Every structure is written in C-alpha cells, then in structure tokens.
Amino acid sequence: MASTDTDDSPVRAQLAQHLGFLYPDSNAERLADQVIAIFDHLEEQRPLPLHQLWSQQDCLLITYGDSIVDDHSAPLETLHSFLKQHVKDSISAVHVLPFCPFSSDDGFAVIDYTQVNPKLGDWSEISQIADDYRLMADIVINHVSSESQWFENYRKGVEPGASYIMEANVGDDLSEVVRPRASSLLRPTETSDGLKHVWCTFSHDQVDLDFRNPQVLLEFLKIIRLYLEHGVSIFRLDAVGFLWKQPGTTCMHLPQTHEVVKLIRTVTDFFAPGTLLITETNVPNHENLTYFGNRNEAHVIYNFSLAPLLVHSLLTGKTEYLKRWMMTMPPAPVGCTYLNFTASHDGIGMRPAEGLLSDEEQLQLVETVRRFGGRVSTRRTADGGERVYELNVALFDALRGTVKGEDPWQVERFLCSQTVMMALEGIPAFYIHSLLATPNDQAGVEATQINRAINRHKWDWQELQRQLSDEGSVHHQVFGELTRRISLRRQMLPFHPNATQFTLQLHDPFFAFWRQSTDRSQSVFCVNNMSDTVQELRLSDLNLIAMDAWHDAISGTRFDDQNAVLNVAPYQSLWITNRPASP
C-alpha cells in the first residue's frame, strides 16, 4: 500500500509542492494525502529508466471504437478482431478515441467518465484490447457534457457538481480569450441560485470545468486510477491548454495549466511507472513545445505542424517550408519524444501552420483541398474576425492531385506522405482511415451537417474484409504496402524515436533527412521525391561511407556504385541504409 502517513515520502513532498502552487489558500499537505489515498492500492515506485519508454518498434493506431461495425458483435469486439486478424504486430499501441457515454462531438462531450458507452461494448472489451496492445485513452479534462450529472447538480446547487463548473460575469474582460470555435463563449444557464453564465470554450454542450476547485482535480485523478485498472497505459490530455481560466488573459497555457500536467506526471511516474502522458495542444509550434516542460510534463507531444506542411509540400512540389520547419525543430529532450501524424479524427489543423506558411500559401492549400471535396472550419479571433482553423478532409482524398488538379499519382503521393511521417524523429501514429485509404465520407457530412464527419467513416466489417482481400482494391494496395513499410521500420535502429536526425540540403523537390542509431552502428538516408516528375539523385550528394554496403530498404535495390545517378520516380521514397534489416 502507498505511503500516506509519512512526512518523508518523496511523492508526498512533490505533490504538496504542486498543490501549494495551484491552491495557495488550501492545506497542500492534506490535499497531497487525499491524492495518495486515491492510489492507495498501488505501490509507490521509482519511475522507469528513460531508455525503456519506447523504441523503433513502437507505432500507434488512432481509431474510434466504432470505426468498424458489424451486426453480430459489439464495435469494440469488432475492432479487436480487425486488430488481431489484419493489423497484428504492425502496431504496438491503440488509441481508442473517447469511449464513454456522450452527448455530442463524437465522444468529446462526456456524460459519464466512469462508464463505457454501451453502444460500443463494456470495460471487459476495453481491457481485452489492452491485453494485446498498449492502450491510449482520452482524459477529456477541460469540459463535460451539459447532460452530465455534474452539470445537472450544478443547476440544482448540490454536490458533486455545484462548484465544478466554470462561470464568468458578463462584464469580465474576455476579449483576449483564445477560442477554437466561432460560437459565443458564455452560455446563459438558469440555476437554483438564479441566472449564471457558464464558460464554454468549445460548444454550449461542452461546459468548462473549474479547476480552481481542488475537488475537480481529485475527480480526474480518480478517473485516471479507474482507467489504469482497466489497462490504459497512455493518457491523452484533451484540450489541456485551455484548462485554467483567468479573465484578462488569453486563458491559454497559463502557469497553473502546466502545473496540473506536472502533477499528473508525478502521480503516474510514482504509482504507474511506464505510463505515458501526451498533451493535445493544437496550437502554433512554439507554444506546443512548452508542454515538454523541464522533462517533467508530457512525455510526448503531437507534431501538429507536420500535417499541414507535409500536405502543402506534396500538393505544390515545394519543400522549402517543410525543410525550414524541420531545421528549426529541436530534438526532443531526453525522456521525451514527438508523436508524428498526418491525419486525425478532427482534420488537418491550420493553427500550427501559422507563422510557417504565408497567408497566400495557406489560401492555396485551402482552395486545393476544397476542389478535392474537402471542407473548411474556422475559428473566431480576438478582433471578431475569423481564420481557418482546420481542413476537414480524408487525407487520401486530400492527395488526389496537386494544385494543378487531379492526376494518376494519388496512391503514390499518399504512400509518400506516410513514409515521410514514419521515418521522422518520434513515434508514428496512423489514423485508421489513413491506414485503410478511406475516401471522403460526403454522406456522413450530409447526414450530420458536421464537417468533421467527412473523415469519420464507419466501415462495415464484412465489406472491409472483402476490400482487404481483393488484390485489385486500393484499400488492399495501400494497407498492404503501409504495413510492409511499418514492418521494415520496426527492424531499423535509426528509426528509434530519439535517434539522431539531420535535414539534408538536396535540391527541390527532394525532401531528405539522415537518421543514425543511438549506438551509431547504422544510418539511413530518407530521400523523398515530393513531385509528380522523375528526379535525378546523385548518390555522391549523400556522402555515403565508401567502406559500407548500401541498399534501399524499401525496394531492396543495392547500390554498388556510390557515384551512380538514380532516377527517382514521382513520390518515390528511399531508405538508403548501410545495414540489412534484422531477420
């Protein structure tokens, strides 16, 4: 049992420090004891050595619990069948997007954090997936559904809930508040104590929680403990940047928000070593990087800028913006890494491209994606205007062609996008609809009137199996080639998430970088033709070590003449390495 009554407990002292900063008017030591009591069934332990947290064999799949449906089984059971039969060991971890009962936003307006949505299955099916893969779950920490018991209690003036909801006064200075939506920030709400104005960062069905009340924090620590008991070992802190509110500020990334992340990190490090924290902060790059803290906040942060820059490069054939960004990206601190992804359940976020792509380049990107069937979502700015917030499109269809129009290179262009992503420093994450080359779901948008539904298709399990077994199907083609390349990647030491990475200065339209294993025994030159024309590559430009035997791991081609000139096909990727893959 964890130590709860000894003043020299290291975790107690650390928790008291966090809590004293967050709640200076409360008894920090008493609060620390309450936190420890929540985890009283777990032994206080030393955090795992940093080198044991991940390796080049790690790869994440992102999916809704019902991305694949079948009339004869619960969606979570069907998902597990898909993983066992088709994905197998190509991936090491599964992110099941919010699986609790919800009222809107496809799971991100949680009604009850302690239950699994019965339409998906139950806790036993969650645990079964966790038995075969590392399981990542969302902690939707900023807000709760307006249909939750907490909000109902808030309106009635009873606990738990009466003091859990964030309020504001109409006269408060909220002019600087950063919003991801164009709806009004405050929701008028009748309560037992009269009319109140409830803070709603996202929608009026998603009411923000008031973390100035320590009881709210304790509630979420109980939720984390429950998820740990069911096998969750990676926690995604959803929309965490908005967590702490203070009128007169942007209410983004406030010091108290970072302190909450540090506290959760302390708890998981001591009571569940090996548990990973990932912060979801879809913001400009320099803001996102702050969530590494001093190696005491998130283990992993999303590489949000990658998706818009990579799509831009593939649609235009220009690599200057992608190269410039990559050269300015710092290596992740020891014990931290990036999560690389090119598509998600939301869309391609454009805020992380601000300051990286010019307004003209962003507009061209928007117009091209619209021509390929995509939609655009906006956000409200402080001056009352609107800016593009995200591109809503299935990535496979976003890459139908280039700024010049559609062409025959969709599959090759798409495979190139995923191959670049999986070779970069960090852990690769594949959205299920990228892995399956799912096109735009226009019917879903029409049915829901929600732009994001375009990339949230629900596959019929029987139809998906037919497509994956049909050698003429684009889904078979893409899935097969991606899983083959993932398998190659898992065997190559230079693709360790923290292996050395340098950007290579090859001429446009090549995007190339060098990775070297942490023990320096193996190198790989990752060369990608980002254009729709054949390009010449001089191997001598790579400065290959003459004494080594070099080959392309993807095609198997050997390079006996290191002065040879290669004809690189449109959107072809090369992994030129000096050591064969492990058997």
Side-chain angles (χ1 to χ4, degrees):
M1 183 173 291
S3 304
T4 59
D5 54 4
T6 56
D7 291 339
D8 59 351
S9 166
V11 67
R12 185 178 186 272
Q14 202 165 331
L15 288 171
Q17 184 175 351
H18 297 313
L19 293 161
F21 179 86
L22 291 169
Y23 309 111
D25 296 330
S26 299
N27 186 320
E29 287 75 17
R30 184 176 302 164
L31 285 173
D33 287 339
Q34 288 180 262
V35 172
I36 292 172
I38 291 171
F39 297 90
D40 63 1
H41 67 302
L42 298 174
E43 289 290 344
E44 185 179 321
Q45 303 177 52
R46 290 183 178 275
L48 280 182
L50 299 178
H51 68 273
Q52 294 182 18
L53 293 176
W54 44 67
S55 76
Q56 71 278 3
Q57 297 194 17
D58 284 305
C59 183
L60 181 76
L61 176 70
I62 306 167
T63 180
Y64 278 103
D66 59 355
S67 290
I68 307 171
V69 294
D70 180 40
D71 291 338
H72 307 294
S73 59
L76 286 170
E77 184 181 349
T78 304
L79 172 62
H80 199 192
S81 296
F82 165 72
L83 294 171
K84 290 187 295 184
Q85 294 178 35
H86 295 282
V87 175
K88 301 176 183 176
D89 64 353
S90 295
I91 58 105
S92 59
V94 181
H95 175 197
V96 180
L97 289 155
F99 46 73
C100 299
F102 68 96
S103 55
S104 64
D105 201 13
D106 275 0
F108 287 92
V110 178
I111 294 174
D112 186 349
Y113 293 90
T114 67
Q115 300 297 319
V116 174
N117 184 348
K119 294 180 179 179
L120 298 178
D122 56 32
W123 278 116
S124 66
E125 284 147 344
I126 290 289
S127 298
Q128 286 168 15
I129 294 174
D131 288 340
D132 292 336
Y133 300 92
R134 292 202 71 176
L135 181 60
M136 177 166 154
D138 290 273
I139 300 296
V140 185
I141 197 168
N142 177 72
H143 48 263
V144 69
S145 167
S146 66
E147 297 181 18
S148 66
Q149 190 62 54
W150 287 349
F151 191 63
E152 182 63 25
N153 288 353
Y154 164 76
R155 290 203 274 204
K156 293 177 179 177
V158 298
E159 298 291 0
S163 59
Y164 285 13
I165 305 302
M166 185 68 193
E167 299 174 350
N169 297 315
V170 175
D172 288 342
D173 178 8
L174 306 177
S175 60
E176 298 299 316
V177 174
V178 172
R179 298 286 313 290
R181 300 288 185 272
S183 58
S184 58
L185 175 62
L186 300 183
R187 164 186 164 158
T189 302
E190 288 291 344
T191 74
S192 60
D193 198 28
L195 180 68
K196 302 290 185 180
H197 289 86
V198 172
W199 195 297
C200 297
T201 297
F202 289 86
S203 76
H204 285 193
D205 185 44
Q206 294 163 293
V207 293
D208 285 34
L209 293 157
D210 188 355
F211 273 82
R212 296 174 302 178
N213 178 357
Q215 293 306 310
V216 175
L217 176 62
L218 294 175
E219 292 280 10
F220 275 92
L221 294 178
K222 293 173 186 176
I223 293 163
I224 289 172
R225 183 194 68 181
L226 174 67
Y227 287 18
L228 286 169
E229 291 171 349
H230 289 286
V232 174
S233 58
I234 308 174
F235 289 95
R236 176 184 184 268
L237 301 181
D238 175 66
V240 69
F242 301 93
L243 190 70
W244 203 278
K245 282 80 175 175
Q246 184 175 324
T249 74
T250 63
C251 299
M252 285 289 286
H253 321 307
L254 296 186
Q256 294 92 336
T257 292
H258 284 280
E259 200 69 30
V260 170
V261 177
K262 292 174 187 176
L263 183 146
I264 295 173
R265 172 70 179 268
T266 295
V267 166
T268 53
D269 273 356
F270 277 93
F271 295 115
T275 299
L276 301 183
L277 290 188
I278 178 166
T279 47
E280 190 268 328
T281 47
N282 191 359
V283 292
N285 198 47
H286 66 280
E287 299 175 34
N288 189 33
L289 287 167
T290 64
Y291 282 86
F292 281 140
N294 186 22
R295 299 190 298 160
N296 59 351
E297 294 188 42
H299 296 89
V300 186
I301 64 172
Y302 284 89
N303 224 339
F304 278 110
S305 298
L306 173 62
L309 293 176
L310 183 57
V311 170
H312 172 268
S313 184
L314 287 165
L315 293 180
T316 63
K318 300 177 183 178
T319 62
E320 58 183 295
Y321 297 99
L322 193 57
K323 287 177 183 174
R324 187 183 305 154
W325 161 75
M326 188 159 165
M327 286 188 292
T328 60
M329 280 293 287
V334 175
C336 302
T337 194
Y338 298 105
L339 191 74
N340 296 320
F341 74 106
T342 54
S344 75
H345 59 288
D346 286 344
I348 299 171
M350 292 303 293
R351 282 211 73 203
E354 293 175 10
L356 300 174
L357 289 178
S358 68
D359 288 347
E360 292 76 15
E361 296 285 356
Q362 290 193 51
L363 180 61
Q364 184 183 44
L365 183 57
V366 167
E367 291 176 345
T368 303
V369 166
R370 275 182 168 149
R371 288 205 306 271
F372 297 156
R375 310 293 178 101
V376 176
S377 297
T378 61
R379 67 178 179 90
R380 182 166 293 174
T381 57
D383 61 4
E386 290 188 6
R387 286 187 65 97
V388 173
Y389 181 66
E390 67 186 15
L391 307 178
N392 303 116
V393 65
L395 184 64
F396 186 64
D397 271 357
L399 299 176
R400 282 185 201 172
T402 68
V403 293
K404 297 177 289 187
E406 295 189 29
D407 62 24
W409 300 106
Q410 181 179 17
V411 169
E412 291 81 2
R413 188 180 295 108
F414 180 76
L415 289 172
C416 180
S417 74
Q418 302 308 284
T419 305
V420 170
M421 181 267 290
M422 71 174 83
L424 290 169
E425 175 192 349
I427 298 170
F430 292 87
Y431 184 43
I432 191 169
H433 292 306
S434 294
L435 201 63
L436 297 173
T438 308
N440 289 333
D441 188 348
Q442 300 291 3
V445 176
E446 294 301 321
T448 63
Q449 295 299 300
I450 296 172
N451 284 350
R452 287 176 167 178
I454 200 168
N455 199 24
R456 297 178 179 179
H457 181 68
K458 290 180 172 57
W459 274 98
D460 174 79
W461 177 222
Q462 304 304 321
E463 175 61 20
L464 178 59
Q465 292 192 92
R466 282 192 292 271
Q467 292 291 338
L468 292 179
S469 62
D470 178 2
E471 294 184 2
S473 162
V474 69
H475 309 290
H476 169 93
Q477 182 182 350
V478 169
F479 180 80
E481 183 58 20
L482 283 180
T483 51
R484 185 184 77 87
R485 295 187 189 190
I486 293 170
S487 179
L488 289 172
R489 179 195 186 279
R490 295 180 70 227
Q491 301 173 61
M492 299 176 67
L493 296 176
F495 290 139
H496 185 284
N498 298 116
T500 299
Q501 174 175 285
F502 285 113
T503 309
L504 301 177
Q505 297 303 315
L506 301 183
H507 63 81
D508 257 1
F510 283 119
F511 176 58
F513 48 96
W514 174 73
R515 304 290 310 275
Q516 184 183 56
S517 60
T518 53
D519 65 1
R520 301 186 179 183
S521 66
Q522 185 181 9
S523 293
V524 58
F525 292 84
C526 305
V527 181
N528 308 275
N529 179 1
M530 309 294 277
S531 78
D532 56 1
T533 59
V534 174
Q535 299 292 323
E536 287 190 351
L537 172 68
R538 298 179 181 276
L539 285 179
S540 58
D541 290 343
L542 301 180
N543 295 319
L544 305 179
I545 298 174
M547 295 176 291
D548 291 353
W550 295 88
H551 74 286
D552 172 26
I554 294 176
S555 67
T557 303
R558 290 182 54 180
F559 304 119
D560 296 323
D561 179 5
Q562 294 180 15
N563 293 309
V565 177
L566 308 181
N567 288 322
V568 184
Y571 306 106
Q572 182 180 356
S573 295
L574 306 169
W575 286 347
I576 300 173
T577 184
N578 60 340
R579 205 171 84 184
S582 303

